[in-house]
Structure formats: C-alpha cells, structure tokens
Amino acid sequence: MRKWGVTAAACAAVIVGAGLFVTRPRLADPAVLSGLVPDIAQGEQVFHAAGCAACHSAPGAEGEARLVLSGGRRFSTPFGTFVAPNISSDPAHGIGDWTPVDLAGALWHGSSPDRQHYYPAFPYASYVRMAPQDVVSLHAFLMSLPADATPSATHEVGFPFNLRLALGGWKLLFLRSGWIVDGDLSGQQQRGRYLVEALGHCGECHTPRNALGGLILSKWLQGAPNPGGKGRIPGLAPDQLDWSEADIAEYLKSGFTPDYDSAGGEMAEVVLNTAKLSDADRLAIASYLKAIPQSRD
Amino acid sequence: MTKYLSFAAAGLLTVAIVGTSMAQEAKNPAVKARQSLMSLYAFNIGQLGAMAKGEAEYNAEAAAAAASNLATLTQVDQSAMWPAGTDNAADPSSRALPAIWQNFPDVSAKGQALAEAAVAMQAAAGQDLDALKAAMGPLGGACSACHKAYRAPKE
C-alpha cells in the first residue's frame, strides 16, 4: 500500500514536471530578428499604434510626460489589480538593458528575459502578431525615450492568480498567433487587421472573456462587460456600430463621435494614441471594422 | 395572479422610465445653461466635422462662420454656470464631477486650451479643407482633455 502511494506520488511529480516543462516561459528566437535594421520613425508609429503610453506612462501624465514610461497606472480586473511596470530606458528599474530579442520574448511569448511569465493584462495575446521588423523598430524607439528610476510596484493579485507558473497553462489555452478574421480582405483591410488585432489590441476590451480570462473569439469585438466597473464596452461589429468609415476615422483622430460629443472613459486614452497615426491607418482600421463578422449569425 | 404581476411589472417599468428621464432632464438653470452651451459647441463643430469627413461639400464661408461661432462661444463667461452643489453627486442630471470644484485653475486652463484650439480652427476653416481637417484633431483633443478629467462616464 505504501509502495503504491510512492508510485502515485512519483507519477504525479512527473506529470506536474512535464506540465511545467511544456508551459515554461519561452524566449524569442534571435534568428527571427537577425539582419533587421531598426527604423526609429516607424518605431514611434508602432509605439502609438500599440498604445504603450496609455498603460505605462505615469497616472494622469499629459503631453510630453506620456513619453516617460515610469509605470504606476492601476488596472482593476476580476483577477486582482495590476500595476503597470516601469518600461522606461532606465537599465535598473526599466528595460534599458533589454535587447530586441528580450523585447520580442515579452511581446510574443509574454515572458521576461529571466523567464518569468507575464500576466496577460499585458496584451501579449495581441502583440504575438507584431511583425519582427516592428519589434526591432519599437525597441529602438523605446530606448530613445527618457529613463526614469521609479521602481515598479507589485501587482495586487490574490490566490490562486498569484501563481505565475499557472500562467503557462493560460498561454497554452489562449495564446495563439495567426489572424482572427480570415478570408478575403483588401490590402487596406489587411493593414487595418494588423492595427486592430496586433498593435491596437482592441479585442482585449471589446471582446468578452471566459471564466479563465481567455477571449471568446466567436464573439470577436462584439462588446463586453467593463472589467473596471460600471457599464459595458460597446460592440464594434457592423450591425452594432452603425458609424460610417469616415465617422470611425474621425473619432480615432479627434475623438468626436458622429454627434460631436467627445470620446469618454478609456477610449479618450486610446484616441490620444490613434490621433498620432496617419489618416490612411485610421481609415484602414475603419475598413477592417466593416469587414468583421456580424454579432448575429 | 398573472394579471396582478403584469400590473406590477408595468408599474416598475413606468418608474424605471420616469427615473431615467428625470436623470436626463436638467432642472437647475445653471446646469441647463452649461449643457446648452455644450450643444452649441457640438452643433458648430458638427458643421466643420461634416466637411472634414466629406459628408458635406467644403464651403469656405460656412466653415469660417461655424468656426467663428465656436470661437465666440468659447469666450462666454461661464462663472455663473457652475455654482456649488451642481456636481453629479448633488444633481443626477449632470455628469460634472466634484473634482471640477476642487481644481478650478486646471479647469480654466483646459478651457483656455479649448479657446486657443477654436482660434486656430478659425484661422484654418476658411483657408482650405486640408487646413480644416488638420485643426479638427487639436480641437477634439481640447474637448476630450477636460471631459476625461472632469466628466462622469455615461450611465
């Protein structure tokens, strides 16, 4: 009997060990980035399209201060409160000592250079689609931004969500590369798809999540409860958002809705970023949104 | 019993509808005045926005008129429109956050930024369509900066 128990324990250890091995934090393959030359101006566009400042600038930062990525904004979710870390170019408290490969590991695999899982509050489940050239350019732009020595705060997450090892399982279930909307898209719609599905990470808020915090892809961009509290984040499917493409592009530029109210809530933050994109990119986003599946099928 | 229940449901529905409309209709004249001023901003920005989006044909004269109205509206002295006790906690018809009354210097700086964006639009609107389009961004930014800090989200 005792022998049987030992065998069971050994089996369990092997299974857990295998599980941890399969779900271990992955780093990026340096070969994918080799030979790519950073374009800092392009990196700045990636920075705005990906909305880095919306989370990583200091709480309430305005104007130029949004380029100081000292962290500290708090995001309350059903899993706990996440505090955005310092990703300024400070080598000790930020990411100043990161290589482009380190950044790729964070963006594509949600792993830190020292092989820790990041929480998916950092939207790597979207950034996993970021083009290698954009990663290299973004890295160069981030390194050109000011250093700030504010230490990163700890996330306020309770059991069991404080077990970072379990995030490997989350990734196994929900971290997927590849496009969400497939099929016949024009060149403009494909550009919009890249901006929405990869950089803009729109689905992180506009798509509902299951109990484990994975996006319900069959309801892509169809609206979701607001994790921060009251109200509902609106759906963007063509039958839910009856704005014209020009309306959408104008909203992403100036924040004006079709009745000339201004963007509210988190979208006001988003518009600060999309305002810095080109007209062509904003129209690309709009044309993609008209191509996503309807909410009723 | 069913009849009674549907009666009760109808009653609840009525209460809900009345409750909603009460939450939307401003009674306090100061709240009404400032909301009306916002509507006038929106109407004139709408004239410009329609041209920026290509919904209306660009007309230099009409654009200049709308921009000039807007610039004038931003100069209206609003000091009597924001009396104490008209924040969204005290008056459900308002979305004005109490923080306004604690940060008047910042609120008026943001108002000044809107006035400047309106003046820039005034210079641009009559010039040509590209200039008008370019001025929409900063104008929207000025609206949004204040709303983001001082307006409660829509229910």
Side-chain angles (χ1 to χ4, degrees), chain A:
Chain A
M1 182 62 198
R2 186 151 168 238
K3 203 168 160 190
W4 191 85
V6 171
T7 314
C11 283
V14 168
I15 290 169
V16 169
L20 288 176
F21 179 76
V22 169
T23 65
R24 73 197 185 284
R26 288 181 56 197
L27 302 183
D29 175 4
V32 180
L33 300 183
S34 76
L36 297 176
V37 182
D39 174 340
I40 204 159
Q42 183 198 9
E44 182 175 5
Q45 283 291 294
V46 174
F47 174 81
H48 295 311
C52 311
C55 290
H56 290 284
S57 63
E62 288 177 24
E64 285 294 300
R66 290 172 61 83
L67 295 177
V68 183
L69 305 177
S70 54
R73 292 186 191 232
R74 299 167 60 82
F75 301 89
S76 68
T77 75
F79 308 101
T81 296
F82 297 96
V83 190
N86 182 335
I87 61 159
S88 76
S89 59
D90 186 278
H93 297 286
I95 61 167
D97 61 343
W98 282 24
T99 64
V101 176
D102 291 336
L103 183 63
L107 294 167
W108 293 341
H109 305 299
S111 310
S112 67
D114 58 353
R115 290 182 184 268
Q116 286 262 323
H117 289 301
Y118 288 125
Y119 285 102
F122 168 41
Y124 51 81
S126 297
Y127 295 156
V128 64
R129 301 178 187 91
M130 193 183 292
Q133 176 63 56
D134 280 355
V135 173
V136 169
S137 297
L138 176 61
H139 177 265
F141 180 72
L142 289 174
M143 293 306 139
S144 76
L145 295 179
D148 181 283
T150 309
S152 294
T154 328
H155 300 310
E156 294 154 23
V157 178
F159 184 82
F161 303 113
N162 56 357
L163 300 174
R164 278 190 190 247
L165 281 176
L167 290 167
W170 188 93
K171 292 179 185 177
L172 198 64
L173 291 171
F174 304 119
L175 182 56
R176 292 269 181 285
S177 54
W179 301 117
I180 294 157
V181 174
D182 229 334
D184 262 346
L185 297 183
S186 68
Q188 188 191 34
Q189 287 165 337
Q190 287 177 34
R191 173 67 184 161
R193 175 173 68 181
Y194 179 63
L195 290 165
V196 170
E197 295 188 11
L199 304 186
H201 60 280
C202 312
E204 303 280 343
C205 289
H206 287 279
T207 302
R209 289 175 187 275
N210 59 29
L212 293 173
L215 294 182
I216 303 170
L217 295 181
S218 61
K219 296 189 174 169
W220 178 241
L221 299 180
Q222 290 178 13
N226 181 0
K230 285 196 287 189
R232 208 182 143 74
I233 293 165
L236 307 178
D239 59 318
Q240 294 176 309
L241 182 69
D242 61 358
W243 298 6
S244 71
E245 291 183 31
D247 287 339
I248 295 169
E250 183 62 42
Y251 178 75
L252 295 174
K253 176 187 183 180
S254 61
F256 286 125
T257 64
D259 50 2
Y260 296 92
D261 192 351
S262 60
E266 299 299 317
M267 274 310 288
E269 280 293 330
V270 174
V271 170
L272 289 178
N273 304 317
T274 55
K276 299 203 170 72
L277 302 181
S278 66
D279 283 332
D281 274 353
R282 286 186 289 260
L283 281 167
I285 293 172
S287 75
Y288 165 82
L289 289 179
K290 292 300 171 194
I292 65 176
Q294 306 274 334
S295 67
R296 307 177 288 263
D297 40 6

Side-chain angles (χ1 to χ4, degrees), chain B residues 10-110:
Chain B
L12 277 176
L13 194 64
T14 312
V15 169
I17 290 167
V18 170
T20 315
S21 64
M22 269 171 58
Q24 284 165 352
E25 196 78 33
K27 286 218 175 87
N28 185 312
V31 176
K32 226 173 189 168
R34 66 202 195 208
Q35 289 178 351
S36 305
L37 186 56
M38 294 291 169
S39 299
L40 288 173
Y41 288 159
F43 179 78
N44 286 286
I45 298 168
Q47 305 294 307
L48 299 163
M51 295 182 209
K53 287 181 199 172
E55 291 166 359
E57 206 173 319
Y58 174 70
N59 174 322
E61 214 174 303
S68 148
N69 282 347
L70 182 67
T72 305
L73 290 166
T74 62
Q75 297 301 327
V76 167
D77 185 326
Q78 299 187 34
S79 44
M81 294 184 196
W82 302 87
T86 59
D87 59 35
N88 69 329
D91 184 340
S93 72
S94 176
R95 286 163 68 195
L97 291 173
I100 292 172
W101 285 265
Q102 290 141 26
N103 300 283
F104 262 135
D106 184 53
V107 175
S108 75
K110 287 185 161 65

